[in-house]
Amino acid sequence: MGRPVYHAIVRHSPRKPAIVFVPSRKQARLTAIDILTCCAAEVQPHRFLHCPEEELAPLLASLGDGTLRETLGSGVGYLHEGLGDEERQLTQELFASGAVQVLVVSRTLCWGLSVSAHLVVVMDTQFYNGRIHAYVDYPIYDVLQMVGRANRPSYDAEGRCVILCQASKKDLYKKFLYEPLPIESHLDHALHDHFNAEVVTKTIENKQDAVDYLTWTFLYRRMTQNPNYYNLQGVSHRHLSDHLSELVESTLSDLEASRCINIEDETDVTPLNLGMIAAYYYINYTTIELFSMSLNAKTKVRGLLEIVSNAAEYASVPIRHHEDALLRQLLAKVPNKPTNPKFNDPHLKANLLLQAHLSRTQLTAELQSDTEEILTKAVRLVQACVDVLSSNGWLGPALAAMELAQMITQAMWSRDSYLKQLPHFTPELIKRCAEKGVESIFDILEMEDGERSALLQLGDEQMADVARFCNHYPNIELSYEVQDKENIRSGSAVVVMVQLEREDEVTGPVIAPFFPQKREEGWWVVIGDPKSNSLISIKRLSLQQKAKVKLDFVAPAPGTHSYTLYFMSDAYMGCDQEYGFSLHVYEGAGSDIGGSDSE
């Protein structure tokens, strides 16, 4: 469709700016080249360039994408999700200033675009969906958003739009352009998670509360306006009442089956532990059910990665045309090979991309953007795993999940050197440090300046980056005390007070260049018995300068018992601490003394 697009621009907007929307990143680059090929065929190679080439050259010199540099130099730019922020910003600025007349944009960026034009060309209204191996239509609201980009009231008396589509769809798009678009509620598609959250906050305490909750929603307003859309048999009060009751009944039954809530006396609802975890971490009720059924006392990091990848949150990870070939190559590189891989499964893709992130594998622009989307949810999901595991009292898997949170944040495997977290530390530099016996961040901190400079051999700017990381790296003094240690009796409460003090002054967001979001560091304080793999007490906290944590548990049977106190980070590797301590437990008070029930 390159030639029809070119002719549409020449006919409707020969001198004014034009935006062309295309289905994919690859198509954006190809269309820009096609348009310039048409210009060259008419012996007007710079038809769409409206500024002297010598003025443009210094601006384009910094661009990393060679094709973009060439097309912008001839007056046609393109934008897709794989471009860096600098490239994207410069392209939009050149288009907004009028230096470049044509901008080709991939469809996913139609909502984030900051520029408008006199002419918009929508080059096909379908895109390839790899999960179902078929071409599907753009959502109608995407098309309307694209059309709306032909809008410059300060400059033009009119805007123009050309939609290139199948003839059978022309009437459909005309209808949506000339008539108002009805907005429907999709609350019924996500009702389980809403109800679960409201049950946890006690807004909904029984089935009648749930029905009342629905009557205050947009869903309730639209049901009578468009009954067919919501599968209503009629619009009378009785029909509406029956439909709401059925909706509430089925939703709450599903939540009860997932062990998120409990229904008592057939009407009253109370939250259960899994429901509270799901609401706290804002995750899907089916995900928390999966965690509860899949996690066990022997789960290792490999199993955790597989379980997290199968979360419902990753069902919407896009599968693109011919992407299975890239995923096959990725499968050959990752250490943990999933069994029976299906390359059109978004959960397999999530697993492979998480492992590629931990291995710091170089990915294509689309896969990199998918990885960033996956990572934004990964830490929440891992923290929910920690809560599920600690609720079951499994120590080993809970510690593994805490380590996984660190690994995801710093993009490394637990077997890697802790020095890999430091900026500019290449495998060769890490090997050089290991030969000198330098294996942790604290070893780097303790070195003399001259000795450190000689070992690292980095420039001033790089050394400044290393210093910034080292200053943020948590150096925390921990002390603990078992209260009334000499008088612990079986069945009574054991209280352990933990004092934490940060020795470094610098706090702030975690330094994690491979993690796409800013995040604050968090900590877990855990008491466990490694021999029996039992987690006895756990507290999660955020630490600024000082903190005091109280851990308590019920004293076990009489005798001497050994425990370990763990202090675990969720963001940095190599700064965890553990301390062993033992307790002597005496016979419970009153075990052989008669007395009243009240005593």
Side-chain angles (χ1 to χ4, degrees), residues 2-59:
R3 188 164 286 281
V5 167
Y6 172 74
H7 286 308
I9 296 169
V10 171
R11 180 184 169 195
H12 297 291
S13 196
R15 298 289 298 171
K16 290 182 176 179
I19 295 176
V20 181
F21 285 104
V22 295
S24 65
R25 170 201 172 194
K26 185 179 179 183
Q27 195 64 51
R29 199 168 56 244
L30 291 176
T31 301
I33 294 167
D34 284 349
I35 291 170
L36 289 175
T37 305
C38 292
C39 290
E42 294 189 1
V43 202
Q44 290 179 288
H46 295 97
R47 175 176 201 150
F48 298 127
L49 183 65
H50 302 308
C51 74
E53 285 183 69
E54 53 276 13
E55 282 184 25
L56 203 55
L59 294 172

Coordinates of all heavy atoms in Angstrom, one line a residue, residues 2-59:
G2 N 2.2 1.1 -0.2 CA 3.0 2.3 -0.2 C 2.7 3.3 -1.2 O 2.6 4.5 -0.9
R3 N 2.4 2.9 -2.4 CA 2.1 3.9 -3.5 C 0.8 4.6 -3.2 O 0.7 5.9 -3.3 CB 2.1 3.2 -4.9 CG 2.0 4.2 -6.0 CD 2.3 3.5 -7.3 NE 3.8 3.3 -7.4 CZ 4.6 4.3 -7.8 NH1 4.2 5.5 -8.0 NH2 5.9 4.0 -7.9
P4 N -0.4 3.9 -2.8 CA -1.6 4.6 -2.5 C -1.4 5.6 -1.3 O -2.0 6.7 -1.4 CB -2.6 3.5 -2.1 CG -2.0 2.3 -2.7 CD -0.6 2.5 -2.9
V5 N -0.6 5.3 -0.4 CA -0.3 6.2 0.7 C 0.4 7.5 0.2 O 0.0 8.6 0.6 CB 0.6 5.5 1.8 CG1 1.1 6.5 2.8 CG2 -0.2 4.5 2.6
Y6 N 1.4 7.3 -0.6 CA 2.1 8.4 -1.2 C 1.2 9.3 -2.0 O 1.2 10.5 -1.8 CB 3.3 7.9 -2.1 CG 4.0 8.9 -2.9 CD1 4.9 9.8 -2.3 CD2 3.7 9.1 -4.3 CE1 5.5 10.8 -3.0 CE2 4.4 10.1 -5.0 CZ 5.3 10.9 -4.3 OH 5.9 11.9 -5.1
H7 N 0.3 8.7 -2.8 CA -0.6 9.5 -3.6 C -1.6 10.2 -2.7 O -2.0 11.4 -3.1 CB -1.3 8.6 -4.6 CG -0.4 8.2 -5.8 ND1 0.3 9.1 -6.5 CD2 -0.1 7.0 -6.3 CE1 1.0 8.5 -7.4 NE2 0.8 7.2 -7.3
A8 N -2.0 9.6 -1.6 CA -3.0 10.2 -0.7 C -2.3 11.5 -0.1 O -3.0 12.5 0.0 CB -3.4 9.3 0.4
I9 N -1.0 11.4 0.3 CA -0.3 12.6 0.8 C -0.2 13.7 -0.2 O -0.5 14.8 0.1 CB 1.1 12.1 1.4 CG1 0.9 11.1 2.5 CG2 1.9 13.3 1.8 CD1 2.2 10.5 2.9
V10 N 0.2 13.3 -1.4 CA 0.4 14.3 -2.5 C -0.9 15.0 -2.8 O -1.0 16.2 -3.1 CB 1.0 13.6 -3.7 CG1 1.1 14.6 -4.9 CG2 2.5 13.2 -3.4
R11 N -2.0 14.2 -2.8 CA -3.3 14.8 -3.2 C -3.9 15.6 -2.1 O -4.4 16.7 -2.4 CB -4.2 13.6 -3.6 CG -5.6 14.1 -4.0 CD -6.5 12.9 -4.3 NE -7.9 13.4 -4.4 CZ -9.0 12.6 -4.4 NH1 -8.8 11.3 -4.1 NH2 -10.2 13.0 -4.5
H12 N -3.9 15.1 -0.9 CA -4.7 15.8 0.2 C -3.8 16.8 1.0 O -4.4 17.7 1.6 CB -5.3 14.8 1.1 CG -6.3 13.9 0.5 ND1 -7.5 14.4 0.1 CD2 -6.3 12.6 0.2 CE1 -8.2 13.4 -0.5 NE2 -7.5 12.3 -0.4
S13 N -2.5 16.6 1.0 CA -1.7 17.4 1.9 C -0.3 17.6 1.3 O 0.7 17.2 1.8 CB -1.6 16.7 3.2 OG -1.1 17.6 4.2
P14 N -0.2 18.3 0.1 CA 1.1 18.3 -0.6 C 2.2 19.1 0.1 O 3.3 18.7 0.0 CB 0.7 19.0 -1.9 CG -0.6 19.7 -1.7 CD -1.3 18.9 -0.7
R15 N 1.8 20.1 1.0 CA 2.8 20.8 1.7 C 2.6 20.8 3.2 O 3.5 21.1 4.0 CB 2.7 22.3 1.3 CG 3.0 22.6 -0.1 CD 4.5 22.4 -0.5 NE 5.4 23.3 0.3 CZ 6.7 23.2 0.3 NH1 7.3 22.2 -0.4 NH2 7.4 24.1 1.0
K16 N 1.4 20.3 3.7 CA 1.1 20.3 5.1 C 1.5 18.9 5.7 O 1.6 17.9 5.0 CB -0.4 20.6 5.4 CG -0.7 22.0 5.0 CD -2.2 22.3 5.3 CE -2.5 23.7 5.1 NZ -4.0 24.0 5.3
P17 N 1.7 18.9 7.1 CA 2.2 17.7 7.7 C 1.2 16.5 7.6 O 0.0 16.8 7.7 CB 2.4 18.1 9.2 CG 1.7 19.4 9.4 CD 1.6 20.0 8.0
A18 N 1.7 15.3 7.5 CA 0.9 14.1 7.4 C 1.4 13.0 8.3 O 2.6 12.8 8.4 CB 0.8 13.6 6.0
I19 N 0.5 12.3 9.0 CA 0.9 11.2 9.8 C 0.3 9.9 9.2 O -0.9 9.9 8.8 CB 0.3 11.3 11.3 CG1 1.0 12.5 12.0 CG2 0.6 10.1 12.1 CD1 0.4 12.8 13.4
V20 N 1.1 8.9 9.1 CA 0.7 7.6 8.5 C 0.8 6.5 9.7 O 1.8 6.3 10.3 CB 1.6 7.1 7.4 CG1 1.1 5.8 6.8 CG2 1.6 8.2 6.3
F21 N -0.4 5.9 10.0 CA -0.4 4.8 11.0 C -0.3 3.5 10.4 O -1.0 3.2 9.4 CB -1.7 4.9 11.9 CG -1.7 6.1 12.8 CD1 -2.4 7.2 12.6 CD2 -0.9 6.0 14.0 CE1 -2.4 8.3 13.5 CE2 -0.9 7.1 14.9 CZ -1.6 8.2 14.6
V22 N 0.7 2.6 10.9 CA 0.9 1.3 10.3 C 0.8 0.3 11.4 O 0.9 0.6 12.6 CB 2.3 1.2 9.6 CG1 2.4 2.1 8.4 CG2 3.4 1.5 10.6
P23 N 0.6 -1.0 11.1 CA 0.3 -2.0 12.1 C 1.5 -2.4 13.0 O 1.3 -2.8 14.1 CB -0.2 -3.3 11.3 CG -0.5 -2.8 9.9 CD 0.4 -1.6 9.7
S24 N 2.7 -2.3 12.5 CA 3.8 -2.9 13.3 C 5.1 -2.0 13.1 O 5.2 -1.2 12.3 CB 4.1 -4.3 12.8 OG 4.6 -4.3 11.5
R25 N 6.0 -2.4 13.9 CA 7.3 -1.7 13.9 C 8.0 -1.9 12.6 O 8.6 -0.9 12.0 CB 8.2 -2.2 15.1 CG 9.6 -1.7 15.0 CD 10.5 -2.6 15.8 NE 11.9 -2.2 15.6 CZ 12.9 -3.0 16.0 NH1 12.7 -4.1 16.5 NH2 14.2 -2.6 15.8
K26 N 8.1 -3.1 12.1 CA 8.7 -3.4 10.9 C 8.1 -2.6 9.7 O 8.8 -2.1 8.9 CB 8.7 -4.9 10.6 CG 9.4 -5.4 9.4 CD 9.3 -6.9 9.2 CE 10.0 -7.4 8.0 NZ 9.8 -8.8 7.8
Q27 N 6.8 -2.6 9.7 CA 6.0 -1.9 8.7 C 6.3 -0.4 8.7 O 6.3 0.3 7.7 CB 4.5 -2.1 8.9 CG 3.7 -1.8 7.7 CD 4.0 -2.6 6.4 OE1 4.1 -3.8 6.5 NE2 4.3 -2.0 5.3
A28 N 6.6 0.2 9.9 CA 6.9 1.6 10.0 C 8.1 2.0 9.2 O 8.2 2.9 8.4 CB 7.1 2.0 11.4
R29 N 9.2 1.1 9.4 CA 10.4 1.4 8.7 C 10.3 1.2 7.1 O 10.7 2.0 6.3 CB 11.5 0.4 9.2 CG 12.9 0.9 8.9 CD 13.9 0.1 9.7 NE 13.8 -1.4 9.5 CZ 13.5 -2.2 10.5 NH1 13.3 -1.8 11.7 NH2 13.4 -3.5 10.2
L30 N 9.6 0.1 6.8 CA 9.4 -0.2 5.4 C 8.5 0.8 4.6 O 8.8 1.2 3.5 CB 8.7 -1.6 5.2 CG 9.5 -2.8 5.6 CD1 8.7 -4.1 5.5 CD2 10.8 -2.9 4.7
T31 N 7.5 1.3 5.3 CA 6.6 2.3 4.7 C 7.4 3.6 4.5 O 7.2 4.3 3.4 CB 5.4 2.6 5.6 OG1 4.7 1.3 5.8 CG2 4.4 3.6 5.0
A32 N 8.2 4.0 5.5 CA 9.0 5.3 5.3 C 9.9 5.1 4.1 O 10.0 6.1 3.3 CB 9.8 5.5 6.6
I33 N 10.5 3.9 3.9 CA 11.4 3.7 2.7 C 10.6 3.7 1.4 O 11.0 4.3 0.4 CB 12.2 2.4 2.9 CG1 13.1 2.5 4.1 CG2 12.9 2.0 1.6 CD1 13.7 1.2 4.6
D34 N 9.4 3.1 1.5 CA 8.5 3.1 0.3 C 8.1 4.5 -0.2 O 8.1 4.8 -1.4 CB 7.2 2.3 0.6 CG 7.5 0.8 0.6 OD1 8.6 0.4 0.2 OD2 6.6 0.0 1.0
I35 N 7.8 5.3 0.8 CA 7.4 6.7 0.5 C 8.5 7.4 -0.2 O 8.3 8.1 -1.2 CB 6.9 7.5 1.7 CG1 5.6 6.9 2.2 CG2 6.7 9.0 1.4 CD1 5.1 7.4 3.6
L36 N 9.7 7.2 0.3 CA 10.9 7.9 -0.3 C 11.2 7.3 -1.6 O 11.7 8.0 -2.5 CB 12.1 7.8 0.7 CG 12.0 8.6 2.0 CD1 13.2 8.4 2.9 CD2 11.9 10.1 1.6
T37 N 11.0 6.0 -1.8 CA 11.2 5.4 -3.1 C 10.3 6.0 -4.2 O 10.7 6.3 -5.3 CB 10.9 3.9 -3.1 OG1 11.7 3.3 -2.0 CG2 11.2 3.2 -4.4
C38 N 9.0 6.3 -3.8 CA 8.0 7.0 -4.7 C 8.5 8.4 -5.0 O 8.4 8.8 -6.2 CB 6.6 7.0 -4.0 SG 5.9 5.4 -3.9
C39 N 9.1 9.1 -4.0 CA 9.6 10.4 -4.3 C 10.8 10.4 -5.3 O 10.8 11.2 -6.2 CB 10.1 11.1 -3.0 SG 8.9 11.5 -1.8
A40 N 11.6 9.4 -5.1 CA 12.8 9.3 -6.0 C 12.3 8.9 -7.4 O 12.9 9.4 -8.4 CB 13.7 8.2 -5.5
A41 N 11.3 8.1 -7.5 CA 10.7 7.8 -8.8 C 10.2 9.0 -9.6 O 10.2 9.0 -10.8 CB 9.6 6.7 -8.7
E42 N 9.8 10.0 -8.9 CA 9.3 11.2 -9.5 C 10.4 12.3 -9.5 O 10.1 13.5 -9.7 CB 8.0 11.7 -8.8 CG 6.8 10.7 -8.9 CD 5.5 11.3 -8.4 OE1 5.5 12.5 -7.9 OE2 4.5 10.6 -8.4
V43 N 11.6 11.9 -9.3 CA 12.8 12.8 -9.3 C 12.6 14.0 -8.3 O 13.0 15.1 -8.6 CB 13.1 13.2 -10.7 CG1 14.6 13.7 -10.8 CG2 12.8 12.2 -11.7
Q44 N 12.0 13.7 -7.2 CA 11.9 14.7 -6.1 C 12.2 14.1 -4.8 O 11.4 13.9 -3.9 CB 10.4 15.2 -6.1 CG 10.0 16.1 -7.2 CD 8.6 16.6 -7.1 OE1 7.6 15.8 -7.2 NE2 8.4 17.8 -6.8
P45 N 13.5 13.6 -4.6 CA 13.9 12.9 -3.5 C 13.7 13.6 -2.1 O 13.5 13.0 -1.1 CB 15.4 12.5 -3.7 CG 15.8 13.5 -4.7 CD 14.6 13.9 -5.5
H46 N 13.7 14.9 -2.1 CA 13.6 15.7 -0.9 C 12.2 16.5 -0.9 O 12.2 17.5 -0.3 CB 14.8 16.7 -0.7 CG 16.0 15.9 -0.5 ND1 16.9 15.7 -1.5 CD2 16.6 15.4 0.6 CE1 18.0 15.0 -1.1 NE2 17.8 14.8 0.2
R47 N 11.2 15.9 -1.5 CA 9.9 16.6 -1.6 C 9.4 16.9 -0.3 O 8.7 17.9 -0.1 CB 9.0 15.6 -2.4 CG 7.6 16.1 -2.4 CD 6.7 15.2 -3.3 NE 5.5 15.9 -3.7 CZ 4.9 15.7 -4.8 NH1 5.3 14.8 -5.6 NH2 3.8 16.4 -5.2
F48 N 9.6 16.0 0.8 CA 9.0 16.2 2.1 C 9.9 16.9 3.1 O 9.6 16.9 4.3 CB 8.4 14.9 2.6 CG 7.4 14.3 1.7 CD1 7.5 13.0 1.3 CD2 6.3 15.1 1.3 CE1 6.5 12.4 0.4 CE2 5.3 14.5 0.5 CZ 5.4 13.2 0.1
L49 N 11.1 17.3 2.6 CA 12.0 18.0 3.6 C 11.9 19.5 3.4 O 12.0 20.0 2.3 CB 13.5 17.6 3.2 CG 14.5 18.1 4.2 CD1 14.4 17.6 5.6 CD2 15.9 17.8 3.6
H50 N 11.6 20.2 4.5 CA 11.4 21.6 4.4 C 12.4 22.5 5.2 O 12.0 23.4 5.9 CB 9.9 21.9 4.9 CG 8.9 21.2 4.1 ND1 8.8 21.3 2.7 CD2 7.9 20.4 4.5 CE1 7.8 20.5 2.3 NE2 7.2 20.0 3.3
C51 N 13.6 22.0 5.2 CA 14.7 22.8 5.9 C 16.0 22.4 5.2 O 16.1 21.4 4.6 CB 14.8 22.6 7.4 SG 15.5 21.0 7.8
P52 N 17.0 23.3 5.2 CA 18.3 23.0 4.6 C 18.9 21.7 5.2 O 18.9 21.6 6.4 CB 19.1 24.2 4.8 CG 18.2 25.3 5.2 CD 17.0 24.7 5.8
E53 N 19.5 20.9 4.3 CA 20.1 19.6 4.8 C 21.3 19.9 5.7 O 21.4 19.1 6.7 CB 20.6 18.9 3.6 CG 19.5 18.2 2.7 CD 20.1 17.4 1.6 OE1 20.8 16.3 1.9 OE2 20.0 17.8 0.4
E54 N 22.0 21.0 5.5 CA 23.2 21.2 6.3 C 22.8 21.6 7.8 O 23.5 21.4 8.7 CB 24.1 22.3 5.8 CG 23.5 23.6 5.4 CD 22.8 23.6 4.0 OE1 22.7 22.6 3.4 OE2 22.5 24.7 3.5
E55 N 21.6 22.2 7.9 CA 21.1 22.5 9.3 C 20.7 21.2 10.0 O 20.8 21.1 11.2 CB 19.9 23.5 9.2 CG 20.3 24.9 8.9 CD 19.0 25.8 8.9 OE1 18.0 25.5 9.6 OE2 19.1 26.9 8.3
L56 N 20.2 20.3 9.3 CA 19.6 19.0 9.8 C 20.8 18.1 10.2 O 20.6 17.3 11.2 CB 18.7 18.4 8.8 CG 17.6 17.4 9.3 CD1 16.8 18.1 10.4 CD2 16.8 16.9 8.2
A57 N 21.8 18.1 9.4 CA 22.9 17.1 9.6 C 23.5 17.0 11.0 O 23.6 15.9 11.6 CB 24.0 17.4 8.6
P58 N 23.8 18.1 11.7 CA 24.4 17.9 13.1 C 23.4 17.3 14.1 O 23.7 16.6 15.0 CB 24.7 19.4 13.5 CG 24.2 20.3 12.4 CD 23.8 19.5 11.3
L59 N 22.1 17.6 13.9 CA 21.0 17.0 14.8 C 20.9 15.5 14.6 O 20.7 14.8 15.5 CB 19.7 17.7 14.5 CG 19.5 19.2 14.8 CD1 18.2 19.7 14.3 CD2 19.6 19.4 16.3

